[in-house]
């Protein structure tokens, strides 16, 4: 079986850390032409990422609304102050950024959930199609 070679400096680092050198191998180089294990898909990381996007969407919207309401009436009695104009500019910039983050998370969440479902269906389909080759139906008496 062929493995990846590491430069001497990387090998020294691995040796000092007491970590066995990881190897890369081709599936075709494994015994009997097969890989060394089973590849399993789980939807959990995708759903966790979708949950994080959902939370971030809610939190960014809450922050935007809080920021906006905290600055309500800022120009009352402050006519002519340059700092108020600068504050409004900064407020507008943050409102735009938070709205963009909220909207991006709103678009991302269903896509992440979709990947979890799609991969699960694909895994099931592949397993079913391979099962037909692993355990083929016996041929009838005429060899069909």
């Amino acid at each position: 079986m062929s493995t990846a070679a590491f430069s001497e400096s990387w090998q020294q680092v691995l040796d000092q850390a007491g970590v066995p050198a990881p190897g890369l191998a081709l599936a075709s180089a494994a015994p009997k032409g097969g890989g060394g294990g089973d590849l399993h898909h789980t939807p959990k990381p995708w759903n966790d990422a979708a949950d994080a996007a959902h939370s971030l969407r809610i939190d960014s919207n809450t922050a935007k609304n809080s920021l906006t309401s905290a600055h309500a009436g800022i120009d009352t009695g402050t006519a002519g102050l340059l700092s108020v104009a600068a504050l409004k500019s900064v407020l507008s910039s943050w409102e735009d950024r938070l709205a963009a983050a909220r909207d991006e998370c709103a678009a991302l969440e269903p896509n992440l959930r979709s990947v979890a479902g799609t991969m699960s269906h694909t895994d099931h389909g592949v397993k079913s199609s391979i099962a037909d080759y692993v355990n083929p139906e016996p041929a009838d008496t005429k060899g069909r």
Side-chain angles (χ1 to χ4, degrees):
M1 178 179 345
S2 64
T3 59
F6 292 94
S7 69
E8 186 177 327
S9 59
W10 275 111
Q11 190 60 53
Q12 286 175 358
V13 170
L14 291 171
D15 291 344
Q16 288 174 356
V19 176
L24 301 175
L26 297 173
S28 60
K32 297 184 185 176
D38 294 325
L39 179 62
H40 296 284
H41 167 263
T42 175
K44 186 177 180 342
W46 297 99
N47 286 326
D48 287 350
D51 291 344
H54 176 80
S55 293
L56 186 55
R57 178 181 62 84
I58 299 298
D59 291 347
S60 60
N61 195 52
T62 300
K64 178 185 173 298
N65 292 339
S66 296
L67 191 62
T68 301
S69 65
H71 287 81
I74 191 71
D75 36 339
T76 304
T78 57
L81 292 177
L82 293 177
S83 60
V84 173
L87 182 61
K88 284 183 175 182
S89 174
V90 171
L91 171 63
S92 177
S93 172
W94 274 106
E95 287 173 331
D96 292 347
R97 291 172 194 214
L98 290 167
R102 176 201 61 209
D103 295 346
E104 181 68 23
C105 289
L108 188 57
E109 180 187 359
N111 291 336
L112 291 167
R113 293 200 194 283
S114 176
V115 168
T118 299
M119 288 182 75
S120 180
H121 292 303
T122 300
D123 288 352
H124 179 70
V126 169
K127 185 176 181 179
S128 295
S129 66
I130 290 174
D132 293 341
Y133 292 103
V134 174
N135 300 315
E137 292 185 25
D140 64 16
T141 57
K142 295 182 181 179
R144 292 183 268 163

